[in-house]
Amino acid sequence: MQQSLLQVVSGGVPRTWSVPWVEAWRVGEPPALSSSPREVRRLVDELTAILGAAGTTN
């Protein structure tokens, strides 16, 4: 059920990312990129590249 919902929701966008659950963030601990899971660091890197590229076209 959850996987099919993910497919429906992500079907309308060009890119999606999956990141692990971090319980400490859920309870209010501020995230630190240096100690974040690899998938989160990869997401930040990719979004930075996308936003940087988008900013150069205007």
Side-chain angles (χ1 to χ4, degrees):
M1 169 78 177
Q2 186 176 356
Q3 185 63 26
S4 61
L5 178 59
L6 175 63
Q7 290 173 334
V8 169
V9 172
S10 65
V13 295
R15 178 74 167 95
T16 60
W17 294 267
S18 294
V19 295
W21 181 265
V22 179
E23 184 65 27
W25 296 351
R26 172 75 169 95
V27 297
E29 182 179 313
L33 191 56
S34 61
S35 61
S36 296
R38 179 182 65 237
E39 297 89 348
V40 173
R41 294 190 310 268
R42 186 178 309 132
L43 168 62
V44 170
D45 289 345
E46 290 184 27
L47 289 175
T48 300
I50 290 168
L51 294 173
T56 59
T57 60
N58 293 332

